[in-house]
Amino acid sequence: MSTDAADLAALAALLADETRAAMCLALLDGRAWTAGELAAHAGVARSTATGHLDRLVGGGLLIEERQGRHRYVRLADASVAHLLEDLSVRLQPRPDQPRGLRQATATAAMKRARTCYDHLAGELGVAVADAMTARGLLDQRGGFALTAAGLAWLTEDAGIDAHRLQGRRRPLARGCLDWTERRPHLAGVAGAQLCERFLAQGWIRRIGTTRAVKVTDTGRRGLSALLGID
């Protein structure tokens, strides 16, 4: 067996466990979590969670940060988030059979609007990409690319500092196939900066500790004025 094949098999094995997969999906919110928080989320003992996290860190999918006695973990980088989202898209859709009102509400919230690592996803993320495309700000033909008008729009209308769009190793704009909408939303530096801007302006806010976000009344007015999104 070739070295490449062995390495690929080892990477796949990291996500072949339901507990580790659940932890990675939770970390798609872009934030750092403690081992205790991830243990509670996955429904396992803290000692069990620690063992799984050690494997994920050792395999390069997660990185850890320590503050005093506390250990935090997060996704290693945006490429890991893209890998998880791409794999999720390839899952066969299941019939919606929520187990109760709480689960139904959480599922609906995730579908409407959520973060995918550091950019917007769900119905809201796709709506932003579509509105930008309709206005000639984003070119989706043969890939995702900001137009000259789109770059000017980001720094003028959207109010993003031009320096925050420069000198990055990540692509400025990247299409990320949305696993619930089955259509692309905007990732890359531009997608991350728009999400950060919307959060800072109070246009969207996080719902609890999940990846779901909610558009505020201020956000509804702002998105309508900025992109004509209802």
Side-chain angles (χ1 to χ4, degrees), residues 20-41:
R20 290 194 294 274
M23 292 175 170
C24 288
L25 290 175
L27 290 167
L28 271 174
D29 68 358
R31 294 178 287 185
W33 290 47
T34 65
E37 289 169 335
L38 286 170
H41 175 80

Side-chain angles (χ1 to χ4, degrees), residues 38-137:
L38 286 170
H41 175 80
V44 297
R46 181 164 181 158
S47 58
T48 301
T50 298
H52 285 304
L53 292 175
D54 287 342
R55 287 196 61 179
L56 291 168
V57 170
L61 293 182
L62 306 184
I63 56 174
E64 64 177 5
E65 303 170 359
R66 292 191 179 271
Q67 293 185 8
R69 294 181 301 171
H70 298 288
R71 178 200 194 192
Y72 294 87
V73 293
R74 64 170 70 245
L75 296 183
D77 53 35
S79 67
V80 176
H82 295 150
L83 172 64
L84 294 171
E85 191 80 0
D86 287 345
L87 288 174
S88 296
V89 170
R90 284 161 176 75
L91 301 177
Q92 291 296 320
R94 296 181 181 180
D96 290 334
Q97 296 179 332
R99 297 177 183 174
L101 178 60
R102 183 175 182 180
Q103 183 178 347
T105 302
T107 299
M110 283 281 284
K111 187 177 186 300
R112 281 195 303 270
R114 66 183 182 275
T115 54
C116 174
Y117 189 55
D118 59 1
H119 57 271
L120 292 172
E123 293 173 2
L124 176 61
V126 171
V128 168
D130 285 350
M132 290 179 65
T133 302
R135 284 160 175 72
L137 310 174

